[in-house]
Amino acid sequence: MIQMTLIQIDNYGPWTVTPAPRTESDLQILQAELYADLQRQFAAKQGLVFFTRFDNMLAVTNNSDVEDHLRIQRSIRNRYPITVSMGVGAAETPYDAQRNASKALQNYGGAQSEDRSEILAVDGLVNKEESFVQLAHIDINGITESLTDIVPAYDTSFIVNRVQHFLMKKLIEKGSLLFFIGGDNFMSPCNGLEPEGLLKIIEEIEAEINVALKAGIGKAPTAEKAANLADLALEEIRDGFTYDLVHVMKE
Amino acid sequence: MIQMTLIQIDNYGPWTVTPAPRTESDLQILQAELYADLQRQFAAKQGLVFFTRFDNMLAVTNNSDVEDHLRIQRSIRNRYPITVSMGVGAAETPYDAQRNASKALQNYGGAQSEDRSEILAVDGLVNKEESFVQLAHIDINGITESLTDIVPAYDTSFIVNRVQHFLMKKLIEKGSLLFFIGGDNFMSPCNGLEPEGLLKIIEEIEAEINVALKAGIGKAPTAEKAANLADLALEEIRDGFTYDLVHVMKE
Amino acid sequence: MIQMTLIQIDNYGPWTVTPAPRTESDLQILQAELYADLQRQFAAKQGLVFFTRFDNMLAVTNNSDVEDHLRIQRSIRNRYPITVSMGVGAAETPYDAQRNASKALQNYGGAQSEDRSEILAVDGLVNKEESFVQLAHIDINGITESLTDIVPAYDTSFIVNRVQHFLMKKLIEKGSLLFFIGGDNFMSPCNGLEPEGLLKIIEEIEAEINVALKAGIGKAPTAEKAANLADLALEEIRDGFTYDLVHVMKE
Amino acid sequence: MIQMTLIQIDNYGPWTVTPAPRTESDLQILQAELYADLQRQFAAKQGLVFFTRFDNMLAVTNNSDVEDHLRIQRSIRNRYPITVSMGVGAAETPYDAQRNASKALQNYGGAQSEDRSEILAVDGLVNKEESFVQLAHIDINGITESLTDIVPAYDTSFIVNRVQHFLMKKLIEKGSLLFFIGGDNFMSPCNGLEPEGLLKIIEEIEAEINVALKAGIGKAPTAEKAANLADLALEEIRDGFTYDLVHVMKE
């Protein structure tokens, strides 16, 4: 089972315009540093946070217990002008885990409710024995030569965003999630997705928008290990140790 | 005229897997902190950086001269394990400005060239007299009530990404760019785009994917002031001071 | 027993002037962010880091094992232009613990040796059963009214530094350490020091330099809990719940 | 003339213990990141900040005007749980400049006054023509070989603190300030101090506590340039280009 945590800044929207709209650069710095900070803290327990919408972040948090979550909420409260609420869910698929996490938090009130502050809503936690995370690291073949070095920077990011959009559309049907992690890289929490299923998606995308992708899949008890195995699997494809476009490594 | 800077991490891809794939959480922290850091430094000169792909960032940098760019490159070299190259371009439209910035940098070699390091390639700078930045701050109407508080967090980010994809597709035809800035917010450098043009795009998106958007447009000599005016214009729509879905404020 | 870790930036001095002296502001930012970063990571295991000389930091690390130390070294290597070596020691007194940690690291070569990089030298670790940390939180009585609000800022910091100098001189004889933690606050790892011993030191300092101090002492299995108990003990003195100048709280 | 800014966290002491003592590691991170942040922002205008007491920082801010100070206060308010007030003073000597800055701020109320928030109290600013900063970079000869590599880490920091204490005592009589900047390095804003005067202090300290120091002095219109020249002057001594223990470089 995979455990996911929804991290939501409390009443953030209204705060950003009170008393007047706050300087955009300050908000961008605040959001990026909050994300980096949460990443560092969840990483201490082998978790992995995705920036998602920045005011709402989704994280794979197998191995983080209630006390870990409370410690992180406290440390944010002590160092930022805002507080964060969290919902925690566990399920067989990443989609269901984040849905359970979302529901748990939504039960305590809206994201912009003035009464709701620093809630920790736990729907379920994954115990060590059943802990399992499957992550796919997907990237675009030869993007540097074919795009970055020859077309305008914005055109490349336009194509990367297009790929993300198509990947999200196809993966969500499998109960898998998809997050952009920079460059031409995507990370997909995909417990339950077979390699063949991901290969089919990659082939469809090549057919539909003519972009060639490849994917390394890692399977392990924690997000950190799964991500590392996915990276190693992807390296094996890059280095030609396999001709498969989807390569799997497990602990 | 608008001035844009392309900021590119030198030879980043290879570095992330040398000697072995680096821990994903560390890379995420590095990228987010680098972005926050560049934002803070360009903001000191009223500029605004967009994270774009994190290893390639686009910034509106009217009011930053060559020395400012060199100072920022030096400060990154002194505090990070990587260096950054930059291309600077100026044009009537944001699209052309980033294209010129991209070309200027591409002339010095590929993003993954081992010889290319800390290049500052200036195609053009905007002087004070002709400096003009038009930014549109676009958001989704009532997303908190209609999505964040009732559907799973991932579904909301899926829709936000979909909106981004459609906005990018339509704005690029106008020479305008579109960047996600968190939550349900987008910022569009859009010199040359008429309010009617943006309104038409918003109406098309409502028709095509049934998502209602609104936009505040700001016009000023620097990105900081334009963004602030765009925020104020958006607030006027939110507060019902105008029924327009696109509202403009200029200095 | 108390466990202490010496964190030393590898070959830092030469790096700061290669190829030419690096901008002082950049070095100050690098040092402060490295300290904050290490603090956050050791804190995830209830440790506490003191900035000491910034290029050499001492930390109370009961509850951090070898893997925790290795993880932190790796995360620094992945995000900074420098690497850190560490020595770990355990003993009955903080002085002996840091001495053992120092010796362990010194055995691997000098701080400015070009061959020595990212060493983890473990002389001893404290196991859960015998883990014990005693911390004293010492501050100056009414400094805001008597100094901060009426004399020049530098004069106040001059007096605070003088107090630090006298406290260090007297505490080291007891095998206790003393670190400045900001404002008018000092934290002293002081396993083995009796409250009477600390009271005597406080009385001597009042007699010698006419500065009135008070101290809260906390005793617990980890630095985090000990520091919290020391804070609570100090609050009890501030709030007049006790007339003692040294007040102790234990788990 | 030199311009100095006193940066003071508003009502910080009470905040750190409200509602209960905040976790020490969080406070240490907050203080270090605030210092790094202010350093980066003042450095954008060639200034230099010294951490001093962390809740009270002193900075050499020639070239930063009122708007620059206001921008920094705003950016801190937008990203931290605290606000900062500032006092700005100008004078022939650093001591007088910080005294004027302190007085200006003290006039607006105490550091722990609940009513005083985000004050900018300007006693005087230095204009470009009369702008002059003299900085001395002082370090300990061969500390790595004689101390760091052979004695316990705490003993070395004890000696460094002792040197700081003696330097502060002697320099303040000359109207010069002294700040620890890490390792075995000290930076002294010392407008008006003659090289002979500093040499005499260094000789006295060698005689009194048997620690050999050397100093590079830089003179320039801004702190950044003066610090750089001081570093270069110190390098010339280290490299044996001069036998003087105090070496001066000016623009």
Side-chain angles (χ1 to χ4, degrees), chain C residues 48 67-68 77 108 116-117 148 158 175 186 206 224 240:
Chain C
L48 190 59
E67 196 203 327
D68 296 323
R77 180 207 325 142
Y108 283 83
R116 201 205 72 181
S117 168
T148 309
F158 178 82
F186 304 96
E206 175 139 35
E224 180 172 289

Side-chain angles (χ1 to χ4, degrees), chain A residues 12-33:
Chain A
Y12 184 56
W15 181 85
T16 63
V17 293
T18 305
R22 296 175 189 262
T23 311
E24 192 55 48
S25 55
D26 290 340
L27 296 177
Q28 290 300 307
I29 296 165
L30 175 69
Q31 293 172 182
E33 291 188 331

